[in-house]
Amino acid sequence: MNIPTRHSDVIQSVRTWLSDIIIGHNFCPFAKREFERNTIAYTVSDVHSLKDATELFLSELQKLEQDTQIETSLIIFSCAFTDFDDYLDLVEMSQVLIDKSGYGGQFQLASFHPDYYFEGEPIEDLSHFTNRAPYPILHLLREQSVERVLKTYPDPENIPQRNIDKARQLGSEYWQRVMQQLIPFHFNK
């Protein structure tokens, strides 16, 4: 399958983010194994509407259900959902689809966005960088696999706080430099 140059650039940007940020700082104990085994599906989407995006999401759920060689899937929106509130609508609709389509308990959803921020935290807080990515991304994970990894990980309930502490420790200069390298020019503010 030939991936257009633009899509391959998008995937490379996301792979660099995974390698350098998510795996490099151990934000996700699940990622390294799947990255090295090449069991992550990367789907780059050029859709613009919520309807088309949720149809793609449902299609990706079906693909994961049928193809057990794929451990986890990243749906990367290359040119849509750049507004964080619009993206949150997509996340909400995607979670509803998991539940209504009978995939609850089988798959779970994680979300990443260039402008990700946690409600209730100051906008300048570095904790937001634990969920910032080069593009808006919906991440589908197999619940069974996540549960297996978390059984072997020390204090899994403390992962979010450890990640926040690490993000803050790295400092704003680090995050500014790294994200400028990873995030496409149209997302930089």
Side-chain angles (χ1 to χ4, degrees), residues 88-107:
L88 289 177
D89 291 342
L90 173 62
V91 171
E92 184 179 337
M93 286 297 299
S94 298
Q95 186 58 57
V96 167
L97 269 176
I98 288 175
D99 298 335
K100 284 191 173 182
S101 300
Y103 291 111
Q106 188 176 358
F107 299 107

Side-chain angles (χ1 to χ4, degrees), residues 124-138:
E124 69 277 356
D125 194 295
L126 299 179
S127 63
H128 308 301
F129 285 95
T130 63
N131 285 62
R132 289 199 178 161
Y135 295 90
I137 297 173
L138 295 177

Side-chain angles (χ1 to χ4, degrees), residues 42-110:
Y42 302 89
T43 300
V44 179
S45 172
D46 296 325
V47 303
H48 289 278
S49 75
L50 185 59
K51 180 183 182 297
D52 290 342
T54 53
E55 286 176 7
L56 173 65
F57 183 79
L58 185 56
S59 155
E60 199 68 19
L61 283 167
Q62 294 164 345
K63 181 170 85 174
L64 276 172
E65 182 179 47
Q66 294 168 4
D67 189 346
T68 58
Q69 299 301 306
I70 301 170
E71 192 60 42
T72 186
S73 179
L74 300 174
I75 304 171
I76 308 158
F77 295 93
S78 63
C79 54
F81 303 102
T82 57
D83 178 84
F84 188 60
D85 289 330
D86 292 343
Y87 172 75
L88 289 177
D89 291 342
L90 173 62
V91 171
E92 184 179 337
M93 286 297 299
S94 298
Q95 186 58 57
V96 167
L97 269 176
I98 288 175
D99 298 335
K100 284 191 173 182
S101 300
Y103 291 111
Q106 188 176 358
F107 299 107
Q108 65 179 248
L109 176 63

